[in-house]
Structures are given as C-alpha cells and as structure tokens.
C-alpha cells in the first residue's frame, strides 16, 4: 500500500532512479500539480479553456483558428508536430489570425466542447472576427489536416471577410478609387507608408496571396485590382501588374521577375529593403519542447515500480477512473441522446450496473442513473446537459464515489500516454469476463455495448474508425458465446497493439506487446496461441475477485 510508505523516503528514492529519463522537476515542485500541454505559446498556439475560449473569440478583431483535441487520442498526439509547423507558419499571419488549442478531455471543458459539438478529435475550427455562438453558428470545420490544404482553406476564408480599417482589405478597388480615396481608407503616412496595387486576373489568387504574404509588413497596405485598366486611375500604364504608392504620393510600377506570388513578394520586399525598411521577424526561435511541464511525483513513481514488478493484475483504481471519465466527460459531451445513441447509453449503463466494480455508493449511483435513462422510452430524448445534471445530483446525495482520481495499472511514465484509453480497455475486458459468469445478458451483448460506445461516444477519431473496421472484418455481431466474446476482444486488442507498437504514443516503460507475453503466460504460447489457455488466463486476471485495491486512497480500498 502506498499510504503505508513514508512519502518522503519514497520520493527521495524514486526521484533519484526516475529522474534519469523522465522527471523534469526537482523534489520541491514534484508535489505541485502542473497540467502538461502538447503546445505552448512559443509555438504561436494559445491554450484556451472554458474560462477563456469564448472571451477570446467574441472579443477578437481577427479570425481565430482553434484545434480541439483530446489529450488521450493518439492521433492528436501524432498530429502535434505537424500542427506546430502550421502554427509557426501562421505566425506570419498573426495580424489576421490567431491559433489556439482546447483540450476536450479536461473535465472543465465538457460544456464548451458540447456547445461546439466536438465529436471527434482533432477537430479544426475557424471563427470569424467577433464571433458569437448561437444554435446555428459554431464555427467552420477545416477538414483537411495537411498544411498546404489548410493554408488554402484559411486563405479562402480570411479573404471573404471585411475587417476593421486598420486591418487588410481584400475587396478589389472600384472604378471610383484613386490615390485620394485609398489614402483616406487607411491611416496613411502614419502606420501605413506604402500602398501596393496588385492586379489579380480572374481565376487567380495572386492578389489575395500577396496580401497574406505581406502581412509581415505592417507599413504596407495591399489593394487588389480586378481590372488592369484601373492602374490608369493612379497615373500608371494599364499594362502594369504591380505598383506601389509611397507617402509622397509617388506611384511607382514594379517589375516582378515572374507572375507568381513569390516573385511579387520578392519585388515589393526588395524595394522596401532598398529604402531601408525591415519586415517584422518570423517565428524562427528554436522549437518549444514537444511536451512542456511534466513531472512524476513520488507516489506515481512508486506506483509505476509496483505495477511493473508485480504479478499481472487488474486494479480497481483503473476501472473507477474509466467509469469516472465516462460519466463526467465522455458522455456529458454529447449534445443529445436520442434514437441510436440513446440505446447505446441505456445499454452501457445496464452493463455497468450488472457488473459494477464500484463500491456501495458507486453501485447506487449507477443503479439510479441506469433507472433514469432506462425510464426514457425509445422515442424520447435526453440532452447531455440533463444527463450531466443527473450525475451531479445523484453524486451530491451519495458518499463520495470516485476517490482515486488516478490511474494505477494504467499509469504513464510520461505525459499524454496511457491513462484513459488504457482504463477503457481494462474495463471492457473486465466486463467480458464478468458477463461469462452470468446469464443476465445474451452472449455478445457486451461486445455490442462496446461497439455502441465506440460508435457514438468515444472522442478518439482514429480509434473509432479502426474499431468499426475491426467490428466488421472480425464479425463482432456474430459472436454468440460468452467465451468467444472474451477472446474476440482479446484478439481485437492485440490487433491494435500490433498496429501501434513502437509509435510515438507508446510508453517506453509499457511497450505494446502481444498479450499475454510468454513471461506472463507460458502455456498460452504453444508456439502459436493456445486459445484455451489464453481464455483461462484472462478469466483469472480479469476476475472481479482478483481485482487489486492497490493505490486507492483508503486502507482497504473499497468496502
Ligand atoms: C476501443 C479502442 C480502440 C483504440 N484504437 C486505437 C487506435 O486505432 N490507434 C491508437 O493509436 N490508439 C488506439 N487506442 C488506444 C490504445 O489502444 C491504447 O489504449 C493506448 O495507446 C494506451 O496503451 P497502453 O500501453 O496503456 O495499453 P492498452 O493497449 O491500453 O492496454 C491496457 C492494458 O490491457 C492489457 N492488455 C493489453 N493487450 C491486451 C489484450 N490483447 N487482451 C487483454 N488485455 C490486454 C495490458 O495489461 C495493458 O496494460 C484504442 C483504445 C480503445 C479503447
Ligand atoms: C477586448 O479587446 C480589447 C481590445 O483588444 C481589450 O482592450 C479588452 O480588454 C478586451 N476585453 C476582454 C474582456 O478581454
Ligand atoms: C470553468 O470550469 C471551472 C472548473 O470546472 C469552473 O470553476 C468555472 O466556473 C468554469 N468557467 C466557466 C466560464 O464556465
Ligand atoms: C518533436 O517531435 C518530432 C516528431 O515526433 C521530432 O522530429 C522533433 O525532433 C521533436 N522536437 C523536439 C524539440 O523534441
Ligand atoms: C486469482 O488469481 C490467482 C493467481 O493469480 C488464481 O490462482 C485464482 O484462480 C484467481 N481467482 C479467480 C477467481 O480467478
Ligand atoms: C465506499 O462506500 C462507502 C459508503 O458506501 C464509503 O463510505 C467509502 O468511503 C467508499 N470507499 C471508497 C474507497 O470509495
């Protein structure tokens, strides 16, 4: 038991061992809870949450590009490197666009992620200046995730917006425009020292792209001409394509080397540098660390050591965490339960109720929630808000149910690893094993419940996609035998393990092996899988009677 060890000794001993590869904090700060983040402001990514997102969006005169993530989603983690490159590049556009991130796996962000209907992550959303949310307006999804396609989408979007006068103007000039009208439209000869005129032939984006690429020059206002003849309004030849008017009112034709954005940018830049100006610097600082602020405290270090060196065990703490996060985060994020996802919710609570690993008050909580959702008839509906309130109301009336608030068997040795998804697998295996002991549910019902959860509630996009693929390929709905149900999930899980073994989401201390390893179960390997032995092994490890209370906050764990 952790609580029986003297924390200071554990801390001192374990920090020495573990600091070598993981720990970044010293003993004094180890106890402080610091939220790690995949991003940092040095990457040009602001980290927003329920308190700051809407204030940021509503009060902003620029466009806003927001990535919604779930820290536990492998794809979000894998995408972080690409997104940082995008954010660095977008630093050049910061006068018109901010870049931020919101983590929907944080309990505090449940409401905003529901309000913005974030179903799968990563989700990329774009918001106009002074955005106001309402039922119709929750921003625009940017579907492609590749940088080049994103820049194009952002440019298209940003160019249709009319900004306040101190910001760029994407509207082409009109036949009535001349030096005087353009000078009046900007803060001429104060902030703006040059007006650049660019001809954008129909079907091209050269003018738009020039505006964006010259955002690093706040002294320059670029205006587009969709008719070359309009150059004559400024005393220039109609054959021009690019020109510049300085503060003295002199109009000067520029001769770019080619008809490309790069050549136009080069031409304007060269002129400005010749007369002694400099662009604002780009974001070329050394990249911020991929993950900031992570430290293991002494207890976590002790847990890792115990989990790694003990017998294979299933820990109640993990089952509790899985159910805790389901009830408080994944389920209440749903906007509305009705039809298919209502059935999925009812079924999930029914299964949790039957094989509930929680203690007495946890049993009451699930019973009441199950009674409540199962009392809604098939055509009825329930909002995520109402579900969340049910959970909160019942919890208020019961002795504290969720106490551990930490993972044990699913503990990670680094940030953004293991945790919730690991606890879900653990819970699912546990449920298949428990259901084999009872006749309360038809065989196959637990797999169907897991399928319903994945399809409707699991916020990890790639996990869902793969699981749906496996369900079809491995014929999940044809499993009609309790033992086969246990083995189906075991094989499916091993398929996932094989696919993601060795990638950046793997915890080096918990490598993804085909389970159970030779070491854990020799008889299971003969030399290929001996399914009978595997079944016996799983039935033993995941058995309710064998659950370990290690790491729970009270001396006896649960009653
Ligand atoms: C339904 C589902 C689908 C997922 N799909 C993806 C995906 O497509 N891409 C992705 O990157 N991540 C996916 N994940 C997350 C991923 O599988 C892991 O949960 C995550 O990487 C954390 O891994 P882990 O090392 O903690 O071990 P996990 O794979 O989470 O396993 C948890 C524990 O279960 C035990 N175990 C391992 N294998 C088996 C087995 N075959 N049978 C019984 N017990 C076993 C071990 O004790 C292990 O520590 C998915 C998760 C779930 C729940
Ligand atoms: C809104 O923006 C203005 C100008 O950018 C700033 O002065 C003000 O403090 C902001 N208000 C809030 C609530 O953030
Ligand atoms: C954000 O969440 C925290 C924690 O749940 C809460 O205290 C705070 O009031 C919330 N803020 C808003 C604006 O909802
Ligand atoms: C961040 O991660 C990427 C890819 O995983 C890697 O190439 C890069 O070197 C890392 N950067 C830092 C600063 O660790
Ligand atoms: C619990 O585990 C032990 C060994 O780890 C095993 O002998 C025993 O049969 C298990 N109990 C159940 C009920 O499966
Ligand atoms: C289990 O439930 C009882 C009440 O039924 C409660 O007093 C006790 O603290 C709970 N134990 C844990 C570990 O949650």
């Amino acid at each position: 038991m952790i609580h029986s060890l003297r924390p200071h000794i554990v801390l001192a001993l374990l920090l020495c061992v573990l600091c070598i590869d993981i720990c970044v904090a010293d003993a004094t700060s180890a106890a402080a809870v610091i939220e790690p983040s995949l991003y940092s402001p040095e990457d040009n990514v602001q980290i927003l949450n329920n308190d700051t997102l809407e204030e940021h969006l509503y009060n902003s005169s620029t466009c806003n590009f927001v990535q919604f993530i779930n820290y536990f989603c492998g794809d979000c983690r894998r995408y972080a490197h690409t997104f940082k490159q995008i954010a660095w590049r977008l630093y050049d556009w910061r006068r018109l666009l901010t870049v931020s991130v919101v983590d929907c796996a944080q309990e505090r962000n449940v409401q905003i992620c529901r309000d913005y209907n974030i179903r799968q992550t990563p989700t990329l959303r774009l918001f106009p200046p002074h955005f106001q949310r309402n039922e119709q307006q929750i921003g625009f999804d940017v579907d492609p995730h590749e940088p080049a396609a994103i820049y194009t989408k952002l440019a298209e979007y940003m160019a249709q917006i009319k900004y306040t006068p101190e910001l760029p103007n994407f509207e082409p000039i009109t036949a009535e425009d001349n030096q005087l009208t353009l000078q009046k439209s900007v803060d001429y000869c104060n902030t703006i020292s040059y007006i650049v005129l660019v001809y954008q032939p129909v079907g091209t984006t050269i003018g738009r792209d020039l505006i964006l690429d010259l955002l690093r020059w706040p002294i320059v206002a670029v205006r587009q001409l969709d008719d070359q003849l309009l150059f004559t309004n400024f005393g220039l030849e109609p054959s021009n394509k690019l020109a510049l008017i300085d503060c003295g009112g002199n109009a000067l034709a520029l001769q770019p080397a080619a008809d490309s954005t790069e050549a136009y940018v080069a031409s304007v830049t060269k002129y400005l540098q010749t007369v002694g100006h400099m662009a604002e610097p780009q974001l070329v600082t050394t990249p911020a660390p991929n993950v900031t602020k992570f430290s293991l405290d002494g207890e976590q270090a002790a847990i890792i050591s115990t989990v790694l060196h003990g017998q294979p065990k299933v820990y109640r703490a993990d089952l509790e965490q899985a159910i805790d996060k389901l009830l408080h985060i994944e389920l209440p994020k749903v906007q509305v339960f009705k039809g298919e996802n209502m059935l999925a919710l009812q079924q999930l609570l029914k299964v949790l109720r039957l094989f509930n690993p929680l203690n007495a008050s946890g049993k009451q909580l699930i019973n009441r929630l199950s009674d409540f959702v199962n009392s809604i008839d098939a055509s009825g509906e329930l909002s995520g808000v109402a579900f969340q309130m049910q959970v909160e109301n019942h919890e208020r009336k019961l002795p504290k149910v969720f106490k551990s608030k930490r993972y044990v068997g699913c503990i990670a040795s680094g940030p953004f690893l293991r945790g919730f998804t690991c606890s879900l697998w653990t819970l699912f295996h546990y449920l298949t094993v428990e259901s084999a002991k009872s006749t309360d549910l038809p065989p196959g019902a637990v797999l169907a419940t897991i399928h319903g959860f994945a399809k409707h509630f699991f916020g990890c996009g790639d996990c869902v996609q793969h699981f749906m693929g496996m369900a079809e390929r491995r014929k999940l709905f044809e499993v009609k035998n309790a033992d086969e149900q246990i083995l189906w999930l075991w094989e499916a899980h091993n398929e996932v393990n094989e696919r993601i073994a060795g990638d950046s989401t793997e915890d080096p201390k918990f490598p993804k092996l085909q389970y159970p390893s030779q070491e854990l179960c020799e008889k299971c390997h003969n030399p290929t899988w001996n399914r009978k032995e595997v079944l016996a092994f799983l039935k033993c490890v995941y058995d309710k009677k064998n659950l370990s209370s290690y790491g729970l906050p009270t001396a006896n764990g649960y009653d």
Side-chain angles (χ1 to χ4, degrees), residues 320 359-361 399-401 403 552-554 557-559:
E320 184 184 296
N359 80 349
S361 58
K400 204 164 169 59
V401 177
K403 287 201 171 164
L552 287 169
T554 61
Y558 292 103
D559 54 5

Side-chain angles (χ1 to χ4, degrees), residues 199 225 227-233 235-241:
Y199 169 54
L225 283 61
D227 178 354
Q228 226 171 348
L229 275 178
L230 292 179
F231 276 110
T232 59
N233 291 13
L236 294 161
E237 292 297 318
S239 57
N240 277 307
K241 288 174 175 167

Side-chain angles (χ1 to χ4, degrees), residues 343-356 366-367 369-371 373-374 431 440-442 445-446 449:
L343 288 174
L345 175 69
Q346 291 172 333
Q347 189 62 25
L348 181 61
L349 284 165
K350 203 179 259 177
V351 170
L352 289 177
R353 174 186 201 148
L354 281 172
F355 313 118
N356 194 336
I366 301 289
N367 292 354
L369 288 173
S370 173
D371 282 342
V373 303
N374 281 291
L431 293 172
D440 288 328
L441 284 179
V446 173
T449 305

Side-chain angles (χ1 to χ4, degrees), residues 54-72:
E54 296 211 311
E55 185 181 307
H56 175 81
L57 296 178
Y58 291 9
N59 194 32
S60 160
S61 54
T62 66
C63 293
N64 294 286
F65 185 42
V66 183
Q67 184 192 185
F68 292 87
I69 64 168
N70 275 319
Y71 79 87
F72 61 71

Side-chain angles (χ1 to χ4, degrees), residues 476-496:
L476 176 145
F477 288 103
E478 286 173 28
V479 175
K480 290 286 181 250
N481 163 314
D483 287 349
E484 282 307 314
Q485 179 166 255
I486 297 173
L487 289 168
W488 191 97
L489 196 65
W490 160 74
E491 279 185 318
H493 191 172
N494 268 343
E495 183 183 321
V496 177

